[in-house]
Amino acid sequence: MTAVFVEDGPDKGAIWHFGEPNKEQRALLAGTAWADLSHLAVVAVTGEDRLKWLHDLTTQHLLEFGVGIWTSALILDPQGHVEYQFALVDDATTTFIVLDPHFAQGLIAYLNKMRFMLKVEVQGASGEFAVLRAPGAANEVGGPFALVPRAELEDMKKAFGAHATQVGTWALDAERVAAGRPRHGIDTDAKAIPNELGFIHGAVHMNKGCYRGQETVAKVYNLGKPPRRLVMLHLDGHAVVMPPTGTPVMNGEVQVGFLGTVARHYELGPIALAIVKRNTPVDAELTVEGVAASQQIIVEP
């Protein structure tokens, strides 16, 4: 089993696949797969005020956050645009935040700026802890995950490998796209707001106190008309090379959006996430670099 590694992007250095991506995807769907996600960044937040503080800063309700439960959250800018997307888990003394590595230093700097007089401490913990995608059925966060001390990482890999199939990011991306879960920085741009991305009632809790950017989220939610919407595109499988992330999505001669993650799914074929204008007809014959693309609704128009 020869590993092929990701050469660029946020997963650079991670395993892309082992030569049989369809087999890996089937194992992932069956819940008998695991993946090494130790390239992702881990941030540790300690202190008795940590959950109330993170509750106030993020889009997620964390006041009664249980031990060992993974959830997702966002931090928005004042206009409601997504700045950070992450998963988090608490062990009763520390809240661990997991996110793409190129966002980690910015998040740490922002959190430290927002500490004020509260009893919280923030520090990078990627050198001490790593994340694995554990065996089991996929959940809404993309897990199940295992947060493992680096000193125990190789032993945990061996334990998973003894009864499950190791998979790479190809299989994980195919599952994520098919499930309609966008990834910030790949499936989004600087203008993206949670309402466009299917985050409402998931990473965004609609019954909690104020947080930065909430006014935009609430206003668009109440109007029911986000300016754009996330869709899954089924791409014509006859193309040998699929269009790259960021490629314009066209409705005739008019650009109506842009392409995000592109994946080859073992059952669905070539699929992708894309953000398109809300008023784009759902039955429009879209194209991406000349490749025909039909829409599957994720966010209602």
Side-chain angles (χ1 to χ4, degrees), residues 1 15 18 24 27-38 131-136 144-146 148 153-169 171-172:
M1 196 167 61
I15 294 172
F18 291 94
E24 293 174 37
L28 192 63
L29 181 66
T32 59
W34 72 277
D36 183 352
L37 301 178
S38 58
V131 176
L132 300 177
R133 203 295 190 175
F145 299 118
V148 184
L153 183 58
E154 293 307 315
D155 288 341
M156 184 62 77
K157 288 181 183 180
K158 290 177 182 177
F160 283 168
H163 61 86
T165 301
Q166 186 176 2
V167 304
T169 62
L172 294 173

Side-chain angles (χ1 to χ4, degrees), residues 11 13 20 56 90 102 144 154 161 163 170 172 178 185 191 214 236-237 241 258 263 279 287 292:
D11 293 324
E20 296 182 282
D56 292 340
D90 193 83
H102 58 288
E154 293 307 315
H163 61 86
W170 180 325
L172 294 173
K191 300 186 298 181
Q214 184 195 30
D236 186 342
V241 178
F258 65 91
N279 59 1
T287 58

Side-chain angles (χ1 to χ4, degrees), residues 28-114:
L28 192 63
L29 181 66
T32 59
W34 72 277
D36 183 352
L37 301 178
S38 58
H39 65 288
L40 297 179
V42 180
V43 176
V45 183
T46 56
E48 62 185 76
D49 294 332
R50 68 189 184 283
L51 290 178
K52 173 64 167 64
W53 181 61
L54 290 170
H55 174 87
D56 292 340
L57 291 178
T58 74
T59 58
Q60 189 56 269
H61 197 297
L62 299 172
L63 292 181
E64 300 173 359
F65 193 34
V67 173
I69 299 172
W70 286 85
T71 191
S72 57
L74 310 171
I75 289 178
L76 310 180
D77 72 9
Q79 289 72 45
H81 304 128
V82 178
E83 281 199 339
Y84 299 103
Q85 175 193 29
F86 45 84
L88 64 163
V89 67
D90 193 83
D91 69 356
T93 62
T94 304
T95 301
F96 294 95
I97 294 172
V98 178
L99 74 166
D100 285 342
H102 58 288
F103 288 113
Q105 288 306 311
L107 177 62
I108 291 171
Y110 171 74
L111 292 177
N112 276 315
K113 184 175 69 174
M114 300 301 292

Side-chain angles (χ1 to χ4, degrees), residues 202-222:
V204 178
H205 196 288
M206 295 305 294
N207 296 308
K208 59 164 285 185
C210 293
Y211 54 88
R212 192 173 69 171
Q214 184 195 30
E215 288 185 3
T216 298
V217 174
K219 180 180 179 180
V220 175
Y221 177 75
N222 290 327

